[in-house]
Amino acid sequence: MERYILSLSIIYAVLNIAVGTVYFEENFLDDSWKNSWISSKHPGKEFGKFILSSGKFYNDQNSDKGIQTSQDAKFYAVSKKFPPFSNEDKPLVVQFSVKHEQNIDCGGGYIKLFDCSLEQTDMHGESPYEIMFGPDICGPGTKKVHVIFSYKGKNHLINKEIRCKDDVFTHFYTLIVKPDNTYEVLIDSESVQTGNLEDDWDFLPPKKIKDPSAKKPEDWDDKVCTQYW
């Protein structure tokens, strides 16, 4: 993984139409984040170190800080707990910003929303999560936004292609899940994908499936059927 700056204005929020309840927000304005964020120490992985930085370029050096992956070709995993919440009958908004100032050619800058059972010091790539969201870049063939939901113990990837930004600038990624089972993905406040959860993820089994025991009758004539149809 190449270096990037995760200037996490991460906001997990349950919003009313007019007034939102912010359940979690982190802007990384100073080194106080080190006191509450927990780095993974999962064995067998070479984890890199996050540092506080504004990067090589910025609008305002103080307000544009974020945590930066400081070493190349490393895994990175850091997490922070916040109080449980329910988005029943309310929209759920997950938003963060990321800057790949190295002009990244292979790496992910996504975030994961876990449940309360996560063992933070043992977090790794196979740790169960509820939502995974954000850009993933690997060569010219993979430049997409992951939107993955866990349902009944299985991770379900969106079945639509959402292209992520692949330049060196800061971009804001926003996922909105609405109580009517629709969703919207925005990049830099511009809508890039909308739809219905049931249509765009394979949460439910198909309405029609092939019967593996079905076979042609012994007197079936392919020629006759082809001519008829």
Side-chain angles (χ1 to χ4, degrees):
M1 179 183 291
E2 297 189 32
R3 280 177 280 176
Y4 61 87
I5 292 183
L6 201 55
S7 348
L8 287 175
S9 317
I10 300 181
I11 303 176
Y12 301 122
V14 177
L15 301 179
N16 295 319
I17 293 178
V19 180
T21 302
V22 179
Y23 283 90
F24 180 75
E25 181 175 9
E26 182 69 78
N27 291 304
F28 298 109
L29 298 179
D30 53 44
D31 280 328
S32 61
W33 71 275
K34 295 180 180 180
N35 299 324
S36 55
W37 286 77
I38 304 299
S39 296
S40 177
K41 296 179 175 62
H42 179 73
K45 298 291 186 182
E46 292 187 31
F47 287 106
K49 182 180 179 182
F50 280 104
I51 62 172
L52 188 69
S53 175
S54 301
K56 298 176 183 177
F57 55 91
Y58 42 80
N59 179 51
D60 182 277
Q61 187 173 8
N62 292 321
S63 62
D64 291 345
K65 289 180 180 178
I67 52 172
Q68 182 185 43
T69 54
S70 63
Q71 300 163 281
D72 292 339
K74 298 285 186 179
F75 292 96
Y76 289 88
V78 64
S79 62
K80 180 179 178 179
K81 285 192 174 183
F82 59 96
F85 68 89
S86 171
N87 65 316
E88 184 177 1
D89 298 325
K90 305 179 185 72
L92 169 67
V93 179
V94 180
Q95 182 184 75
F96 69 102
S97 65
V98 63
K99 176 171 65 173
H100 296 110
E101 67 177 17
Q102 269 192 317
N103 198 17
I104 188 171
D105 60 19
C106 192
Y110 41 79
I111 61 173
K112 293 179 178 180
L113 179 61
F114 297 90
D115 68 19
C116 298
S117 66
L118 174 70
E119 181 58 50
Q120 292 175 270
T121 57
D122 193 46
M123 182 174 64
H124 54 88
E126 301 304 316
S127 297
Y129 57 84
E130 301 301 321
I131 297 175
M132 174 173 159
F133 174 57
D136 184 24
I137 298 172
C138 193
T142 300
K143 295 182 179 182
K144 62 183 178 182
V145 178
H146 280 301
V147 188
I148 305 175
F149 294 105
S150 175
Y151 180 67
K152 294 186 176 180
K154 182 180 179 181
N155 294 335
H156 295 267
L157 285 69
I158 189 172
N159 55 32
K160 290 185 176 179
E161 192 74 15
I162 307 175
R163 186 176 177 86
C164 68
K165 300 294 184 179
D166 59 354
D167 53 42
V168 300
F169 305 111
T170 299
H171 295 287
F172 284 86
Y173 289 85
T174 305
L175 169 65
I176 304 173
V177 182
K178 303 175 183 179
D180 62 357
N181 282 336
T182 62
Y183 73 95
E184 184 173 15
V185 175
L186 302 93
I187 302 178
D188 300 332
S189 300
E190 179 181 348
S191 180
V192 295
Q193 187 66 63
T194 61
N196 185 281
L197 296 179
E198 184 177 340
D199 295 336
D200 294 349
W201 283 266
D202 296 327
F203 294 125
L204 304 177
K207 295 179 180 179
K208 294 183 179 180
I209 60 174
K210 292 184 178 181
D211 183 355
S213 64
K215 57 184 179 180
K216 295 179 182 180
E218 293 182 358
D219 59 349
W220 187 270
D221 190 334
D222 286 325
K223 294 181 179 178
V224 172
C225 291
T226 301
Q227 291 173 358
Y228 176 80
W229 290 106

